[in-house]
Amino acid sequence: KAGVTQTPRYLIKTRGQQVTLSCSPISGHRSVSWYQQTPGQGLQFLFEYFSETQRNKGNFPGRFSGRQFSNSRSEMNVSTLELGDSALYLCASSSAGRRGGKNNEQFFGPGTRLTVL
Amino acid sequence: QQQVKQSPQSLIVQKGGISIINCAYENTAFDYFPWYQQFPGKGPALLIAIRPDVSEKKEGRFTISFNKSAKQFSLHIMDSQPGDSATYFCAASGKGSSNTGKLIFGQGTTLQVKP
């Protein structure tokens, strides 16, 4: 099976702009989680989607949003970019089911490196 | 209560030695504890994971030891190789809708294995 893919791999934006990142999960996986990785804060959970519905959300401002499509592909959007949004954005997919609960293995993509100038 | 504390921050080991990384947690609702390995420019790769109903799990040179009463778990890398040089993250997750799809990560340990 192909792994998790993320596009683009690198992005450079300026403050105030918005950005959309894309993630294609492993075939058959319906759960997609997003994380932000920075040297200072480490890996932090943004949100998780299952069957086009956001099931869980981390402690990030409303500028961070996401969605999931019927084919399980997911996008995340960051509006009004700030310098502090510079990070590696990772998505992970798992075979977790509708009831969630018991956590299954999460498999990560290579990430999108976002630089905000 | 949602934190996972990882130590040491960095570790240097000679080739053939044992690398040991430790993690501690507070939330007794956590029931899944994976370890990830990350190389520069790559996403984290799942190495090995454990649930609290067992005290040890071994896969090849990698072993997780789990102490439920102490709320600690550790990764042991036996016969460490230069190719193991990477950053290692422990993580934890719990049951319930508020934990769905959410891994809480330790701060990471940068391992360098010297030839």
Side-chain angles (χ1 to χ4, degrees):
Chain A
K1 279 184 179 179
V4 177
T5 58
Q6 292 188 246
T7 56
R9 293 293 312 278
Y10 302 91
L11 265 179
I12 299 175
K13 293 285 186 179
T14 56
R15 279 181 299 173
Q17 287 187 310
Q18 74 167 17
V19 66
T20 299
L21 314 180
S22 181
C23 171
S24 292
I26 291 171
S27 178
H29 285 187
R30 296 167 67 187
S31 169
V32 174
S33 298
W34 287 89
Y35 295 84
Q36 181 195 64
Q37 186 176 23
T38 60
Q41 298 299 315
L43 280 149
Q44 294 187 289
F45 172 77
L46 280 156
F47 29 65
E48 187 254 4
Y49 284 86
F50 180 88
S51 196
E52 302 178 67
T53 301
Q54 186 184 88
R55 291 199 298 191
N56 201 359
K57 188 177 188 305
N59 295 325
F60 279 82
R63 300 185 297 106
F64 292 82
S65 63
R67 60 178 176 168
Q68 188 180 35
F69 302 94
S70 58
N71 61 358
S72 295
R73 190 177 68 86
S74 179
E75 289 181 347
M76 68 163 282
N77 183 278
V78 188
S79 62
T80 320
L81 285 165
E82 300 177 359
L83 294 179
D85 297 333
S86 294
L88 181 66
Y89 289 90
L90 294 157
C91 86
S93 75
S94 87
S95 58
R98 182 170 300 281
R99 290 188 179 180
K102 192 178 175 99
N103 285 281
N104 290 329
E105 299 167 331
Q106 290 192 17
F107 298 93
F108 282 82
T112 294
R113 171 74 62 185
L114 172 65
T115 301
V116 182
L117 302 176
Chain B
Q1 261 222 332
Q2 286 289 310
Q3 283 186 327
V4 176
K5 294 182 180 179
Q6 184 172 345
S7 63
Q9 188 173 357
S10 62
L11 182 60
I12 299 174
V13 172
Q14 290 296 126
K15 179 182 174 182
I18 302 173
S19 305
I20 302 174
I21 304 170
N22 301 298
C23 285
Y25 64 98
E26 289 293 325
N27 191 342
T28 55
F30 287 154
D31 69 344
Y32 174 69
F33 303 89
W35 284 89
Y36 284 85
Q37 177 191 58
Q38 186 176 31
F39 292 105
K42 305 285 187 182
L46 180 64
L47 262 181
I48 186 172
I50 199 168
R51 297 194 187 271
D53 51 346
V54 297
S55 60
E56 187 175 280
K57 182 174 181 180
K58 184 176 181 180
E59 289 185 3
R61 296 185 294 111
F62 300 93
T63 300
I64 299 180
S65 296
F66 186 83
N67 186 329
K68 189 174 180 178
S69 60
K71 290 184 282 186
Q72 295 175 347
F73 59 110
S74 59
L75 175 70
H76 296 234
I77 306 174
M78 312 301 284
D79 187 27
S80 298
Q81 299 297 312
D84 297 330
S85 297
T87 301
Y88 292 80
F89 293 93
C90 62
S93 187
K95 297 178 183 177
S97 58
S98 64
N99 293 306
T100 300
K102 177 181 180 180
L103 289 172
I104 297 168
F105 284 87
Q107 284 299 98
T109 296
T110 301
L111 170 65
Q112 182 184 358
V113 181
K114 290 194 167 182

